[in-house]
Amino acid sequence: MRNIINPVLLLSSTFLLLLSTSLAQEKNPLKVIGTFPKGQTEGTNQTRTIIATFNRPMVPLQELPEGDGSGPLTITPSLKGKYRWLGTSTLSFTASETLEVATEYRVTIPSGLKASDGSTLAKAVSWTFTTPRPVLVASFPGHNQRWVGLNPAIFLRFSQRMNVARASSFIQMKEGSRDGVSVPITLGVPTNEEMQKAKLYWSSDTTTMFAMRLQRPLSKNKRYVVMLVKGLLGARGALGMEKEASFAFETYYDFSFEGAVNPTKRHPHESLTLRFSNPVAMKELPKNLTFSPAVKLPEGFSEYEWSSSELSINLELKPEARYTGKIGKELKDIFGQALDKDAEFILTTRSFDPFFTMTTGHGILESYGERMYPVNVVNLNSLDVQMLKLTRDNLVPGLSSSFPDNLQFEISKEWQVNPKRNVQTVVGLKLDDAISANKHGAVLLQVSAPSLQATLRTDVQVTEMGLTTKFS
């Protein structure tokens, strides 16, 4: 028995299948859903490969094919390269040549491009991307740099090769502000000698740099602004800088002494910082600095080669005293300007900060002496003292590093010290009250200064023999 296929039924089924496919394609037409690169790019690596992704398979799935020299993309300006399908729906084009910098490229996918299911792209799809434009990456002097000389070397470094003729009209220098008086300059390529003299070590390749050479010296006490106008062209490409760039610097000032930092009620041993309007060589300061009453200055400054507008010097002054400092008018800044007259300043010191110290840990005290434990004190009239005679029962907890709260001292008192003001004084703390009548024994001693929130502890063995006990 043979199966007979009805021709009418077959044609009807085929028609319905084609109709449903056509309706599905109309509802979800072939589209480009992703493109790369787009807009302004930052580096050349972003532009070597152009990618377009579709919303459905365009080719059968296959192993990664070799690149093909032809494809559906129209690229303007034209590029040579190879096409490759990444999967079934992503097309890539890799240029075989370096793209021109500062150039806008337009990519177009023509209408009528067919997918694997026969659907076509209804209308052409286009997008653009721009290869890197020139960008100012560094300047010398730097932005807001101070104390620049009157005949400075001014250098500009860019992200790509530059051309003096194409860029000259885009670079301006103004005095005071952006709206100030123009400063005449000549633009050129820096020489290695110019860069070495300025101690600038950017690169030996100067094709990305400009030197701005002044036609007349600058004025001191002035701010200068260098402006790179939007559209500044590099050596290649039709597009210039995407936005303006600028930097400013200030020339050096009339030389003056601006005062001492923290001149009143200063700690006697605090380092002294002196401020000037311009940098001064450190080795020159001690030659021109004196005090009344006299102060001994540190030695060795003649070896210092650095300079700054703030110079610090370590001094040992007396507490609660007044000093008059004088800077001689012969002192010069690094630009050769001298002070127009001697400069004086006043320093006042406060008392030394109160403190106390003593040896902590384990100690031995000879019983045939005065049995006093030495404590160093500065500007503290009294200390809190606690003592406990150590016995077999309290020896271990008493010497524990984690002193128990429930351990009770036998003696607690306020010890009147009354040292001489601002003088480190060694005073002896008598231990007789805590040891036995025969003046022998071991004492746990704790000394505190509540005002300083400081506590020190030691254990002292009072004996006629030198005895050390090892605890473990």
Side-chain angles (χ1 to χ4, degrees):
M1 180 178 179
R2 293 183 301 172
N3 292 326
I4 300 175
I5 299 176
N6 189 329
V8 176
L9 180 61
L10 179 60
L11 288 172
S12 299
S13 299
T14 303
F15 174 76
L16 291 173
L17 178 61
L18 292 174
L19 178 62
S20 63
T21 301
S22 177
L23 291 173
Q25 291 175 354
E26 290 180 6
K27 186 176 181 180
N28 184 26
L30 177 62
K31 294 187 294 186
V32 178
I33 60 174
T35 58
F36 175 86
K38 292 177 72 173
Q40 180 65 56
T41 61
E42 300 297 330
T44 54
N45 291 335
Q46 291 181 324
T47 59
R48 291 295 296 272
T49 300
I50 300 171
I51 296 175
T53 301
F54 299 85
N55 66 339
R56 63 186 60 194
M58 302 296 291
V59 293
L61 184 64
Q62 56 182 315
E63 294 183 4
L64 190 65
E66 292 293 329
D68 191 350
S70 60
L73 303 182
T74 300
I75 304 172
T76 307
S78 62
L79 291 172
K80 294 180 180 181
K82 292 187 176 181
Y83 290 87
R84 176 176 289 143
W85 285 96
L86 307 177
T88 62
S89 58
T90 297
L91 175 65
S92 74
F93 170 82
T94 300
S96 58
E97 54 190 330
T98 301
L99 275 67
E100 187 70 86
V101 295
T103 301
E104 181 181 82
Y105 284 84
R106 175 172 289 274
V107 184
T108 301
I109 303 175
S111 61
L113 183 66
K114 283 190 176 184
S116 294
D117 61 4
S119 58
T120 59
L121 192 64
K123 59 181 181 179
V125 175
S126 295
W127 74 95
T128 62
F129 65 89
T130 302
T131 51
R133 299 169 181 247
V135 175
L136 178 69
V137 296
S139 68
F140 181 86
H143 182 49
N144 285 334
Q145 184 170 329
R146 302 170 67 194
W147 306 301
V148 175
L150 305 185
N151 290 285
I154 304 175
F155 300 104
L156 311 175
R157 183 161 66 96
F158 294 85
S159 58
Q160 55 190 247
R161 292 190 173 189
M162 304 300 290
N163 178 274
V164 171
R166 299 188 83 198
S168 293
S169 62
F170 293 90
I171 299 178
Q172 305 172 7
M173 185 172 174
K174 299 291 185 72
E175 181 180 283
S177 68
R178 301 169 58 89
D179 300 321
V181 177
S182 294
V183 177
I185 61 166
T186 301
L187 198 65
V189 177
T191 64
N192 290 330
E193 291 76 13
E194 286 177 316
M195 297 184 67
Q196 290 173 3
K197 184 178 179 180
K199 299 181 180 180
L200 190 63
Y201 307 104
W202 280 345
S203 170
S204 58
D205 179 13
T206 59
T207 60
T208 62
M209 306 176 199
F210 286 144
M212 296 174 58
R213 301 182 178 104
L214 300 171
Q215 296 180 14
R216 59 174 173 79
L218 303 180
S219 300
K220 60 181 177 180
N221 306 307
K222 293 290 186 179
R223 180 176 177 87
Y224 290 89
V225 182
V226 176
M227 295 179 292
L228 283 62
V229 180
K230 176 182 177 180
L232 187 152
L233 295 168
R236 304 290 298 271
L239 301 176
M241 289 175 55
E242 189 174 17
K243 56 185 178 180
E244 179 189 285
S246 65
F247 63 95
F249 61 87
E250 295 180 6
T251 52
Y252 63 80
Y253 316 109
D254 292 321
F255 186 39
S256 63
F257 171 62
E258 297 186 341
V261 176
N262 187 26
T264 60
K265 296 183 179 180
R266 54 188 292 113
H267 190 283
H269 295 170
E270 178 184 356
S271 64
L272 173 63
T273 299
L274 303 176
R275 287 177 174 164
F276 299 90
S277 59
N278 294 323
V280 175
M282 185 65 198
K283 63 182 180 181
E284 299 299 323
L285 180 61
K287 303 175 186 177
N288 297 278
L289 178 62
T290 58
F291 288 93
S292 178
V295 176
K296 183 179 180 181
L297 301 180
E299 298 177 354
F301 281 96
S302 60
E303 301 174 0
Y304 292 179
E305 295 297 334
W306 55 272
S307 59
S308 174
S309 63
E310 293 191 357
L311 298 180
S312 296
I313 186 169
N314 294 322
L315 300 176
E316 291 193 2
L317 305 179
K318 294 181 179 180
E320 298 179 329
R322 175 186 172 94
Y323 292 85
T324 299
K326 185 174 75 172
I327 301 174
K329 62 183 180 181
E330 294 81 10
L331 179 67
K332 294 182 179 181
D333 61 18
I334 60 173
F335 304 104
Q337 300 183 113
L339 294 173
D340 56 358
K341 60 181 179 180
D342 293 343
E344 292 190 350
F345 58 96
I346 302 297
L347 298 179
T348 60
T349 58
R350 54 181 170 84
S351 61
F352 285 123
D353 296 330
F355 80 94
F356 79 98
T357 184
M358 68 181 190
T359 303
T360 59
H362 309 296
I364 294 178
L365 195 63
E366 296 169 334
S367 62
Y368 50 80
E370 294 184 336
R371 295 173 297 282
M372 291 192 298
Y373 196 76
V375 180
N376 294 279
V377 181
V378 174
N379 290 344
L380 281 172
N381 292 326
S382 65
L383 293 167
D384 289 349
V385 175
Q386 294 173 296
M387 291 186 285
L388 172 66
K389 183 178 180 180
L390 295 175
T391 65
R392 181 183 302 175
D393 296 330
N394 62 20
L395 180 64
V396 173
L399 299 183
S400 173
S401 59
S402 56
F403 188 65
D405 294 334
N406 59 358
L407 186 63
Q408 298 296 318
F409 285 100
E410 295 173 333
I411 298 173
S412 296
K413 65 179 182 179
E414 183 180 15
W415 179 30
Q416 295 297 322
V417 182
N418 298 320
K420 188 175 181 180
R421 187 163 180 80
N422 291 314
V423 176
Q424 182 171 327
T425 305
V426 180
V427 292
L429 177 58
K430 290 186 177 182
L431 304 182
D432 287 358
D433 293 342
I435 56 179
S436 59
N438 60 8
K439 308 306 180 185
H440 298 148
V443 177
L444 177 65
L445 172 63
Q446 181 170 289
V447 180
S448 305
S451 61
L452 304 180
Q453 297 183 337
T455 298
L456 298 177
R457 184 186 307 147
T458 184
D459 60 271
V460 184
Q461 184 177 356
V462 183
T463 178
E464 293 179 355
M465 299 176 58
L467 178 64
T468 302
T469 304
K470 180 179 180 182
F471 298 87
S472 60

